[in-house]
Amino acid sequence: MSTPDLLARDGLLDDRPAALRRLLARPELGSLIAAVAVFAVFAAVAEPFLRVSSMGTVLYAASTIGIMAVPVSLLMIGGEFDLSAGVLVTTAALTSSMVSYQFTAVTWVGVLVSLATTLAIGWFNGWMLGRTRLPSFIVTLGTFLMLTGANLGVTKAISGTVSTRSIADMEGFASCRWLFASEVTIGGLAIKATVWWWLGLLVVGSWVLLRTRFGNWIFAVGGDADAARAVGVPVARTKTLLYLGVGFGAWVLGQHLLFSFDTVQSGEGVGNELIYIVAAVIGGCLITGGYGSVVGSALGALIFGMASKGIIYAQWNPDWFKFFLGAMLLLAALLNAYVKRRAERGPR
């Protein structure tokens, strides 16, 4: 038997192509390449970008997007959107602040009431989606408008202004600030609490998606909800749990905003939901659902953090930042569709 025949029999000739095919089929491949490219560009044109202090700033910017990009990416893999995610973060912060201040309670009471509120709103989105079968675009657009009005109206009715009162002198503020807004310095690198929250959510989200039955349900309902329902997957419950995940992420980020700055502006958050979606799409999630990666969403958030701060360090006109995001979104969507088609065709 010839050497090529022996290699073919042992599978050695196919190992490299098979590994390459698996790599090319990974949804986060495009975002990884893009992240390396963005880092290389700003490392070359902006000397301050490579400083340790700058890396801390980049990580912080990425984490404030990544905390929401994780649950949003899971939701998109499940085939749905949440246009209320941006203002829900503000709702979480406002609820915690006003409950603590108005009832003269310890801040932890406000924090827990805020958690219950964001989870209830997430449950409402999922319940409405399941009961009405309306597109998630319509359901969450309605929630977005209601929350935007409620954030402003309730804040002005209670405090008389568009911002909340300071709660910095209340009992429990220091411990809440440690949990949600503290900072540690490691080797000159300042790491905010949001980075730890982001990494924790990333690990849990990846484990759920890739190692649990619920993760299989997410892919199934996103790929074909009717087929998933036919084989016994609880479609409505799965989507409701995904919306609860978005509510939890909004709560975490909302508490960070509150305990970082003591007060909250009621008009914040509008438009941020699009940034979360962009991060998820750049990370490999398809608009049509059924395909994507939690790790990819983290890379998408990292690209956002590097670009938003790199443009400043390079002293470029920041007006071009939105153009950059739009271009990245289109390129990522095209690449993701191409990768998915190759994955579906399988070995050739």
XYZ file of all heavy atoms in Angstrom, residues 225-308:
590
model
N -39.153 28.020 14.624
C -39.966 27.923 15.830
C -41.051 26.859 15.687
O -41.340 26.113 16.635
C -40.591 29.270 16.161
N -41.669 26.758 14.514
C -42.740 25.774 14.315
C -42.197 24.354 14.399
O -42.813 23.479 15.016
C -43.409 26.002 12.957
C -44.201 27.302 12.915
O -44.652 27.743 13.990
O -44.359 27.879 11.820
N -41.036 24.112 13.774
C -40.436 22.787 13.843
C -40.017 22.460 15.269
O -40.169 21.319 15.736
C -39.232 22.712 12.910
N -39.478 23.449 15.991
C -39.084 23.237 17.383
C -40.297 22.900 18.239
O -40.250 21.998 19.086
C -38.377 24.481 17.923
N -41.397 23.604 18.003
C -42.619 23.335 18.765
C -43.146 21.928 18.473
O -43.648 21.247 19.376
C -43.670 24.388 18.394
C -44.904 24.381 19.289
C -45.875 25.484 18.916
N -45.345 26.801 19.244
C -44.909 27.674 18.341
N -44.935 27.381 17.058
N -44.446 28.853 18.728
N -42.987 21.491 17.234
C -43.483 20.178 16.849
C -42.742 19.043 17.538
O -43.310 17.958 17.735
C -43.380 20.017 15.330
N -41.492 19.271 17.920
C -40.714 18.220 18.589
C -40.676 18.417 20.107
O -39.879 17.792 20.799
C -39.276 18.152 18.028
C -39.299 17.780 16.568
C -38.531 19.479 18.232
N -41.531 19.304 20.613
C -41.684 19.430 22.054
C -40.898 20.532 22.738
O -40.877 20.597 23.969
N -40.247 21.387 21.976
C -39.500 22.493 22.586
C -40.496 23.551 23.063
O -41.359 23.981 22.288
C -38.514 23.122 21.578
C -37.853 24.356 22.176
C -37.468 22.094 21.173
N -40.410 23.995 24.329
C -41.323 25.042 24.826
C -40.919 26.415 24.280
O -40.178 27.163 24.922
C -41.160 24.951 26.342
C -39.772 24.425 26.535
C -39.505 23.500 25.380
N -41.407 26.741 23.107
C -40.954 27.934 22.398
C -41.246 29.200 23.191
O -40.369 30.050 23.386
C -41.613 28.005 21.000
C -41.262 29.326 20.307
C -41.164 26.823 20.150
N -42.474 29.360 23.648
C -42.854 30.591 24.360
C -42.045 30.760 25.636
O -41.567 31.855 25.950
C -44.349 30.564 24.674
N -41.868 29.672 26.387
C -41.112 29.758 27.636
C -39.646 30.074 27.370
O -39.029 30.848 28.104
C -41.227 28.444 28.404
C -40.615 28.510 29.805
C -40.906 27.263 30.584
N -40.193 26.109 30.020
C -40.362 24.857 30.460
N -41.243 24.600 31.397
N -39.663 23.869 29.913
N -39.094 29.488 26.313
C -37.695 29.749 25.969
C -37.483 31.226 25.657
O -36.540 31.850 26.155
C -37.275 28.897 24.759
O -37.386 27.511 25.097
C -35.844 29.197 24.353
N -38.371 31.804 24.864
C -38.218 33.208 24.500
C -38.450 34.126 25.705
O -37.775 35.150 25.840
C -39.172 33.548 23.361
C -38.809 32.834 22.062
C -39.670 33.282 20.895
C -39.219 32.590 19.607
N -39.967 33.064 18.422
N -39.375 33.739 26.571
C -39.598 34.549 27.775
C -38.360 34.555 28.660
O -37.965 35.605 29.204
C -40.804 34.001 28.561
O -41.983 34.089 27.753
C -41.025 34.808 29.845
N -37.718 33.400 28.814
C -36.491 33.330 29.614
C -35.378 34.172 28.996
O -34.581 34.785 29.714
C -36.041 31.878 29.753
C -36.905 31.003 30.672
C -36.480 29.543 30.578
C -36.830 31.495 32.111
N -35.317 34.224 27.678
C -34.314 35.058 27.015
C -34.570 36.529 27.296
O -33.624 37.306 27.502
C -34.323 34.785 25.514
C -33.829 33.396 25.079
C -34.002 33.206 23.585
C -32.364 33.195 25.472
N -35.826 36.936 27.311
C -36.147 38.326 27.644
C -35.839 38.625 29.113
O -35.451 39.747 29.457
C -37.611 38.631 27.331
C -37.844 38.991 25.882
C -38.461 38.109 25.010
C -37.424 40.226 25.389
C -38.664 38.434 23.675
C -37.630 40.568 24.056
C -38.247 39.666 23.209
O -38.429 39.997 21.885
N -36.014 37.630 29.971
C -35.619 37.814 31.370
C -34.112 38.037 31.475
O -33.644 38.819 32.313
C -36.020 36.593 32.197
C -37.511 36.407 32.467
C -37.764 35.076 33.158
C -38.059 37.554 33.320
N -33.349 37.357 30.618
C -31.904 37.570 30.595
C -31.545 38.999 30.211
O -30.628 39.595 30.790
N -32.262 39.552 29.245
C -32.030 40.954 28.876
C -32.362 41.867 30.056
O -31.642 42.834 30.329
C -32.876 41.330 27.644
C -32.742 42.818 27.333
C -32.447 40.507 26.431
N -33.443 41.547 30.761
C -33.798 42.340 31.937
C -32.724 42.295 33.003
O -32.408 43.316 33.638
N -32.126 41.124 33.209
C -31.057 41.007 34.207
C -29.842 41.831 33.794
O -29.244 42.540 34.625
C -30.657 39.546 34.392
C -29.574 39.337 35.410
C -29.874 39.309 36.762
C -28.251 39.183 35.026
C -28.874 39.137 37.712
C -27.241 39.009 35.967
C -27.564 38.988 37.314
N -29.447 41.743 32.527
C -28.314 42.544 32.054
C -28.568 44.027 32.219
O -27.675 44.786 32.623
N -29.800 44.469 31.921
C -30.150 45.883 32.082
C -30.069 46.312 33.540
O -29.647 47.423 33.859
C -31.552 46.129 31.532
N -30.450 45.409 34.436
C -30.363 45.717 35.870
C -28.916 45.922 36.295
O -28.598 46.899 36.983
C -30.998 44.585 36.670
C -30.778 44.680 38.150
C -31.371 45.556 39.005
C -29.898 43.873 38.940
N -30.915 45.343 40.294
C -30.013 44.314 40.287
C -29.036 42.818 38.649
C -29.295 43.728 41.319
C -28.323 42.236 39.683
C -28.450 42.686 40.999
N -28.035 45.026 35.886
C -26.619 45.143 36.253
C -26.046 46.461 35.755
O -25.415 47.218 36.513
C -25.806 43.962 35.680
C -24.306 44.197 35.897
C -26.222 42.661 36.329
N -26.262 46.780 34.490
C -25.694 47.997 33.924
C -26.350 49.237 34.511
O -25.681 50.251 34.738
C -25.859 47.981 32.398
C -25.106 49.057 31.627
C -23.613 49.038 31.958
C -25.313 48.878 30.124
N -27.647 49.157 34.802
C -28.327 50.292 35.425
C -27.775 50.604 36.806
O -27.591 51.783 37.166
N -27.500 49.567 37.587
C -26.927 49.808 38.929
C -25.530 50.403 38.812
O -25.129 51.253 39.624
C -26.880 48.502 39.724
C -28.204 47.794 39.872
C -29.348 48.732 40.165
O -29.411 49.388 41.207
N -30.293 48.802 39.232
N -24.779 49.974 37.811
C -23.459 50.568 37.608
C -23.564 52.064 37.333
O -22.810 52.869 37.892
C -22.735 49.880 36.456
C -21.501 50.615 36.022
N -20.345 50.651 36.783
C -21.251 51.381 34.921
C -19.439 51.395 36.181
N -19.958 51.850 35.051
N -24.488 52.451 36.458
C -24.658 53.871 36.132
C -25.033 54.667 37.376
O -24.498 55.761 37.621
C -25.723 54.035 35.053
C -25.379 53.470 33.669
C -26.561 53.652 32.723
C -24.137 54.141 33.102
N -25.954 54.131 38.156
C -26.404 54.847 39.348
C -25.288 55.010 40.363
O -25.037 56.121 40.858
C -27.586 54.111 39.982
C -28.045 54.631 41.349
C -28.498 56.079 41.248
C -29.141 53.746 41.915
N -24.597 53.933 40.692
C -23.609 53.988 41.765
C -22.262 54.525 41.298
O -21.364 54.733 42.110
C -23.467 52.612 42.408
C -24.702 52.208 43.157
C -25.575 51.260 42.629
C -25.024 52.813 44.363
C -26.733 50.900 43.313
C -26.176 52.462 45.045
C -27.039 51.509 44.518
N -22.134 54.791 40.010
C -20.951 55.498 39.513
C -21.118 57.004 39.625
O -20.158 57.731 39.908
C -20.681 55.126 38.049
O -20.265 53.794 37.927
N -22.339 57.487 39.408
C -22.555 58.934 39.305
C -23.549 59.486 40.322
O -23.851 60.679 40.291
C -23.039 59.274 37.889
C -22.126 58.765 36.809
C -22.489 57.688 36.021
C -20.888 59.352 36.593
C -21.650 57.206 35.015
C -20.040 58.879 35.602
C -20.427 57.811 34.813
N -24.083 58.651 41.208
C -24.988 59.064 42.285
C -26.383 59.446 41.803
O -27.358 59.245 42.510
C -24.406 60.248 43.091
C -23.048 59.948 43.671
O -22.707 58.760 43.784
O -22.306 60.891 43.986
N -26.496 60.078 40.643
C -27.785 60.483 40.101
C -27.924 59.945 38.676
O -26.946 59.519 38.059
C -27.935 62.016 40.075
O -26.933 62.569 39.218
C -27.794 62.613 41.470
N -29.149 59.986 38.160
C -29.427 59.457 36.824
C -30.264 60.463 36.050
O -31.216 61.036 36.593
C -30.191 58.118 36.893
C -30.381 57.535 35.493
C -29.465 57.133 37.790
N -29.928 60.681 34.797
C -30.733 61.494 33.896
C -31.792 60.609 33.244
O -31.471 59.560 32.687
C -29.861 62.136 32.819
C -28.835 63.132 33.346
C -29.484 64.411 33.876
O -30.497 64.874 33.352
N -28.895 64.965 34.932
N -33.041 61.035 33.286
C -34.136 60.174 32.841
C -34.171 59.967 31.336
O -34.821 59.041 30.857
C -35.481 60.754 33.295
O -35.656 62.076 32.792
N -33.484 60.798 30.567
C -33.517 60.668 29.116
C -32.403 59.822 28.540
O -32.310 59.677 27.308
N -31.573 59.239 29.388
C -30.445 58.443 28.891
C -30.907 57.088 28.352
O -32.002 56.618 28.655
C -29.432 58.216 30.025
C -28.725 59.483 30.491
C -27.726 59.200 31.590
O -27.666 58.037 32.037
O -27.007 60.114 31.994
N -30.056 56.497 27.542
C -30.297 55.138 27.075
C -30.924 55.021 25.706
O -30.856 53.959 25.082
N -31.557 56.080 25.230
C -32.216 56.014 23.927
C -31.162 55.843 22.830
O -30.215 56.617 22.736
C -33.042 57.289 23.668
C -33.658 57.255 22.271
C -34.135 57.430 24.724
N -31.324 54.836 22.019
C -30.379 54.552 20.941
C -29.350 53.497 21.273
O -28.744 52.916 20.367
N -29.140 53.233 22.558
C -28.135 52.233 22.936
C -28.525 50.824 22.529
O -27.654 49.967 22.324
C -27.882 52.274 24.449
C -27.068 53.473 24.866
O -26.520 54.179 24.031
N -26.991 53.713 26.158
N -29.839 50.583 22.408
C -30.271 49.246 21.992
C -29.711 48.877 20.619
O -29.410 47.707 20.351
C -31.801 49.155 21.971
C -32.500 50.070 20.980
C -32.597 51.511 21.464
O -32.386 51.758 22.672
O -32.890 52.377 20.629
N -29.527 49.875 19.753
C -28.962 49.604 18.430
C -27.487 49.220 18.534
O -27.001 48.381 17.769
C -29.131 50.833 17.531
C -30.573 51.266 17.251
C -30.589 52.494 16.353
C -31.362 50.133 16.615
N -26.787 49.815 19.487
C -25.378 49.467 19.683
C -25.250 48.027 20.165
O -24.359 47.280 19.726
C -24.723 50.438 20.680
C -24.711 51.857 20.096
C -23.302 49.994 21.012
C -24.160 52.905 21.040
N -26.147 47.603 21.050
C -26.113 46.219 21.525
C -26.366 45.251 20.369
O -25.711 44.204 20.269
C -27.171 45.998 22.609
C -27.110 46.965 23.759
C -28.268 47.376 24.416
C -25.894 47.488 24.199
C -28.224 48.263 25.477
C -25.840 48.394 25.258
C -27.012 48.776 25.891
O -26.970 49.667 26.936
N -27.308 45.600 19.513
C -27.607 44.752 18.363
C -26.431 44.708 17.399
O -26.072 43.650 16.873
C -28.888 45.239 17.655
C -30.104 45.013 18.561
C -29.082 44.521 16.322
C -31.387 45.609 18.023
N -25.807 45.871 17.176
C -24.635 45.927 16.292
C -23.524 45.033 16.828
O -22.888 44.282 16.074
C -24.136 47.377 16.138
C -22.764 47.412 15.467
C -25.130 48.196 15.314
N -23.279 45.088 18.139
C -22.230 44.250 18.740
C -22.530 42.771 18.528
O -21.632 41.978 18.223
C -22.101 44.561 20.228
N -23.805 42.393 18.666
C -24.181 40.994 18.478
C -24.021 40.564 17.022
O -23.542 39.459 16.741
C -25.627 40.773 18.932
N -24.412 41.443 16.095
C -24.307 41.106 14.675
C -22.841 41.029 14.252
O -22.426 40.109 13.538
C -25.068 42.121 13.812
C -24.809 41.887 12.323
C -26.559 42.029 14.088
N -22.032 41.985 14.686
C -20.603 41.933 14.394
C -19.998 40.644 14.955
O -19.095 40.049 14.362
C -19.881 43.158 14.971
C -20.293 44.430 14.214
C -18.360 42.997 14.918
C -19.723 45.704 14.785
N -20.539 40.189 16.071
C -20.037 38.970 16.701
C -20.511 37.681 16.072
O -20.148 36.602 16.540
N -21.340 37.754 15.024
C -21.718 36.544 14.317
C -23.184 36.175 14.351
O -23.576 35.166 13.764
N -24.024 36.944 15.049
C -25.450 36.625 15.112
C -26.146 37.066 13.819
O -25.892 38.168 13.327
C -26.112 37.318 16.301
S -25.519 36.745 17.906
N -27.014 36.209 13.323
C -27.793 36.551 12.145
C -29.099 37.226 12.551
O -29.690 36.878 13.581
C -28.103 35.301 11.318
C -26.933 34.620 10.600
C -27.446 33.425 9.811
C -26.224 35.601 9.675
N -29.563 38.156 11.743
C -30.830 38.822 11.997
C -31.976 37.807 11.978
O -32.964 37.963 12.686
C -31.077 39.916 10.935
C -29.944 40.953 10.958
C -32.413 40.596 11.157
C -29.842 41.728 12.235
N -31.838 36.769 11.187
C -32.890 35.770 11.040
C -32.936 34.759 12.172
O -33.868 33.962 12.257
C -32.704 35.011 9.709
O -31.359 34.507 9.642
C -32.930 35.939 8.528
N -31.938 34.754 13.069
C -31.928 33.853 14.212
C -31.357 32.486 13.894
O -31.059 32.148 12.752
N -31.191 31.679 14.941
C -30.722 30.318 14.786
C -29.228 30.152 14.610
O -28.744 29.032 14.427
N -28.480 31.238 14.693
C -27.039 31.159 14.421
C -26.356 32.319 15.143
O -26.829 33.449 15.115
C -26.795 31.267 12.911
C -25.364 31.044 12.486
C -24.846 29.758 12.367
C -24.533 32.122 12.195
C -23.536 29.546 11.956
C -23.221 31.916 11.783
C -22.726 30.630 11.667
O -21.432 30.426 11.266
N -25.243 32.027 15.780
C -24.518 33.093 16.452
C -23.640 32.573 17.569
O -23.528 31.366 17.783
N -23.038 33.503 18.293
C -22.063 33.138 19.316
C -22.038 34.194 20.410
O -22.048 35.396 20.123
C -20.676 33.004 18.687
O -19.667 33.000 19.662
N -22.016 33.746 21.650
C -21.881 34.671 22.777
C -20.473 35.264 22.809
O -20.287 36.453 23.061
C -22.213 33.962 24.095
C -21.928 34.871 25.287
C -23.673 33.530 24.118
N -19.474 34.419 22.543
C -18.096 34.912 22.488
C -17.954 35.967 21.395
O -17.264 36.973 21.562
C -17.122 33.747 22.252
C -15.706 34.260 22.027
C -17.144 32.786 23.433
N -18.621 35.734 20.278
C -18.582 36.715 19.198
C -19.143 38.061 19.624
O -18.625 39.116 19.243
N -20.205 38.049 20.430
C -20.774 39.318 20.898
C -19.782 40.074 21.773
O -19.738 41.308 21.756
C -22.069 39.059 21.678
O -21.802 38.514 22.971
N -18.977 39.324 22.545
C -17.940 39.960 23.359
C -16.883 40.606 22.474
O -16.404 41.710 22.756
C -17.295 38.937 24.290
N -16.527 39.933 21.385
C -15.575 40.518 20.436
C -16.173 41.748 19.761
O -15.481 42.731 19.514
C -15.179 39.474 19.391
C -14.323 38.315 19.897
C -14.195 37.233 18.834
C -12.935 38.815 20.316
N -17.468 41.687 19.465
C -18.134 42.852 18.899
C -18.103 44.039 19.850
O -17.862 45.175 19.440
N -18.339 43.780 21.141
C -18.263 44.843 22.137
C -16.845 45.378 22.265
O -16.624 46.589 22.435
C -18.749 44.329 23.490
N -15.859 44.475 22.167
C -14.462 44.901 22.247
C -14.095 45.787 21.058
O -13.368 46.776 21.217
C -13.560 43.674 22.301
C -12.054 43.941 22.478
C -11.793 44.675 23.786
C -11.281 42.624 22.450
N -14.599 45.440 19.880
C -14.367 46.280 18.701
C -14.954 47.662 18.925
O -14.335 48.678 18.602
C -14.976 45.614 17.455
C -14.175 44.366 17.069
C -15.024 46.597 16.279
C -14.828 43.543 15.984
N -16.146 47.705 19.489
C -16.775 48.989 19.800
C -15.905 49.790 20.767
O -15.682 50.989 20.575
C -18.147 48.754 20.424
C -18.835 50.019 20.854
C -19.675 50.705 20.004
C -18.634 50.537 22.129
C -20.292 51.881 20.397
C -19.247 51.704 22.540
C -20.088 52.384 21.675
N -15.413 49.137 21.825
C -14.583 49.839 22.804
C -13.295 50.346 22.198
O -12.885 51.485 22.450
N -12.642 49.538 21.387
C -11.390 49.958 20.755
C -11.620 51.110 19.782
O -10.840 52.063 19.734
C -10.737 48.774 20.029
C -10.158 47.726 20.948
S -9.116 46.500 20.086
C -10.354 45.676 19.067
N -12.701 51.025 19.007
C -12.969 52.073 18.021
C -13.350 53.386 18.685
O -12.862 54.462 18.301
C -14.073 51.619 17.073
N -14.223 53.322 19.699
C -14.693 54.558 20.340
C -13.555 55.304 21.026
O -13.512 56.546 20.998
C -15.805 54.235 21.346
O -15.315 53.401 22.389
